[in-house]
Amino acid sequence: DAGVTQSPTHLIKTRGQQVTLRCSPISGHKSVSWYQQVLGQGPQFIFQYYEKEERGRGNFPDRFSARQFPNYSSELNVNALLLGDSALYLCASSFGAGHSNQPQHFGDGTRLSIL
Amino acid sequence: SQQGEEDPQALSIQEGENATMNCSYKTSINNLQWYRQNSGRGLVHLILIRSNEREKHSGRLRVTLDTSKKSSSLLITASRAADTASYFCATNTGGFKTIFGAGTRLFVKA
């Protein structure tokens, strides 16, 4: 079975632009979470979507938004990009929601560089 | 701020030695998870331990949880060069957020 897939793998943008990152969860998984990982730090929680609804949001500005589609895939959108948005963006899927005592399965991420 | 904080930040050992990493957290949890991340890759789930469990094993991995001290440890026995990676603890407090620590960078010398 395919694992969590993310696209694109690398992306270069300039300040002020907008970006859309995509994630396909493991088949059968209904929960998708997004994380931002700055070099040398742990992943920071951005959003969790479960059954196509936003269930949790981390401490990120409104420039960050996401959605989950009927097939449980997800997109993360970031508007008005800043240099500080340069990071590895990770998507993780699980069968249940965050409190369901089930592990998350991660994709290899999208490396976003802002010039 | 991070819910979980790992200690040490970095650890260098010889192949065959044991590696112990610790994680402390601040609030009551529903579960605690350990993940491994190889450079530039995604995270790989290692072990999930529930708040009512005290110890779990998986192969060469042993995880303990002390909820009274709000701490957990990950022991890797008979380490191998392939164990070189960053290791993160992550906590869920019963809601929809999973909060990661800053990680321990483990280097195993062959």
Side-chain angles (χ1 to χ4, degrees):
Chain A
D1 284 343
V4 177
T5 58
Q6 292 187 242
S7 63
T9 55
H10 295 84
L11 202 51
I12 299 175
K13 292 284 188 177
T14 57
R15 283 177 293 175
Q17 286 189 312
Q18 174 265 342
V19 68
T20 298
L21 311 180
R22 297 177 175 81
C23 172
S24 293
I26 290 173
S27 178
H29 284 191
K30 300 180 179 181
S31 173
V32 169
S33 296
W34 287 95
Y35 295 86
Q36 180 195 67
Q37 186 177 27
V38 175
L39 193 63
Q41 299 183 16
Q44 297 283 320
F45 174 81
I46 308 176
F47 289 110
Q48 183 181 96
Y49 276 76
Y50 178 68
E51 286 286 17
K52 293 156 281 184
E53 292 188 13
E54 181 184 308
R55 305 287 183 159
R57 184 185 184 108
N59 188 25
F60 279 81
D62 291 343
R63 299 184 297 108
F64 289 77
S65 63
R67 55 180 175 170
Q68 187 175 33
F69 298 99
N71 66 353
Y72 300 107
S73 66
S74 178
E75 288 183 350
L76 174 70
N77 295 286
V78 187
N79 294 322
L81 288 165
L82 304 174
L83 292 177
D85 295 332
S86 293
L88 181 67
Y89 288 84
L90 295 162
C91 172
S93 76
S94 61
F95 180 77
H99 51 68
S100 63
N101 290 321
Q102 294 178 358
Q104 296 183 81
H105 300 267
F106 282 79
D108 280 339
T110 294
R111 174 73 62 187
L112 176 63
S113 299
I114 310 301
L115 302 180
Chain B
S1 63
Q2 302 277 20
Q3 158 77 321
E5 294 187 3
E6 288 90 341
D7 169 61
Q9 291 185 330
L11 181 60
S12 181
I13 59 174
Q14 292 290 137
E15 208 167 29
E17 295 181 336
N18 295 341
T20 298
M21 288 159 268
N22 302 296
C23 171
S24 61
Y25 56 91
K26 299 174 183 176
T27 62
S28 296
I29 60 170
N30 189 49
N31 65 61
L32 186 144
Q33 304 156 49
W34 284 92
Y35 291 83
R36 184 187 76 232
Q37 184 179 37
N38 291 90
S39 181
R41 302 294 301 274
L43 283 75
V44 175
H45 178 262
L46 298 175
I47 289 182
L48 182 150
I49 187 166
R50 303 182 186 197
S51 59
N52 61 352
E53 297 175 314
R54 291 297 167 258
E55 187 171 311
K56 287 190 82 169
H57 296 256
S58 177
R60 294 184 294 111
L61 307 180
R62 173 178 170 255
V63 167
T64 61
L65 179 64
D66 187 335
T67 53
S68 67
K69 295 181 179 179
K70 292 185 171 60
S71 67
S72 174
S73 67
L74 169 66
L75 169 67
I76 304 174
T77 59
S79 62
R80 306 165 181 168
D83 295 329
T84 294
S86 293
Y87 292 82
F88 296 91
C89 70
T91 55
N92 177 272
T93 57
F96 290 90
K97 291 184 181 181
T98 298
I99 307 300
F100 284 79
T104 292
R105 281 131 193 92
L106 173 66
F107 182 65
V108 181
K109 293 177 282 187

